[in-house]
Amino acid sequence: RNPSANVLNTLYTVPTSNSAIISSIVVANLDEAANLGGAFRIAVNTSSAAVSNASYIAYSVNVPSRDTVTLTLGVTLNAGSIVSVNANSSLLAFSAFGTEVY
């Protein structure tokens, strides 16, 4: 997902009647300029609850241009849980990897 800058966007929602294990999230900075880093935030809120300060698992983490940050998590989420992302640049791309449990 390559979200708009400065907007909280849904990266993944756990489907109804399932749970999920998010093993990792990769954030890539697609900016080709040599010294332009980007910062991101990731929030996990359970059962569609509103995002609060306690929801954040990463906050204002910098990614240098032409680089990636990989978060190894192992977070177990119940049905309806949402992983949301926010970045200060539209050139940050997010990918989540894991397993849905039926």
Side-chain angles (χ1 to χ4, degrees):
R1 177 139 173 91
N2 187 225
S4 299
N6 301 311
V7 177
L8 191 64
N9 292 273
T10 298
L11 178 63
Y12 173 72
T13 302
V14 180
T16 304
S17 302
N18 291 357
S19 59
I21 302 166
I22 303 298
S23 58
S24 61
I25 296 176
V26 177
V27 184
N29 187 340
L30 308 176
D31 198 333
E32 291 292 328
N35 293 314
L36 294 179
F40 69 88
R41 300 174 183 180
I42 299 173
V44 176
N45 49 324
T46 57
S47 300
S48 302
V51 172
S52 67
N53 287 344
S55 303
Y56 285 95
I57 60 172
Y59 198 89
S60 294
V61 178
N62 190 55
V63 184
S65 60
R66 301 178 289 197
D67 205 351
T68 60
V69 169
T70 302
L71 303 174
T72 304
L73 302 170
V75 175
T76 302
L77 303 172
N78 57 353
S81 295
I82 299 169
V83 178
S84 302
V85 297
N86 184 343
N88 68 352
S89 167
S90 62
L91 293 175
L92 293 186
F94 297 82
S95 299
F97 301 92
T99 303
E100 287 184 356
V101 180
Y102 301 94

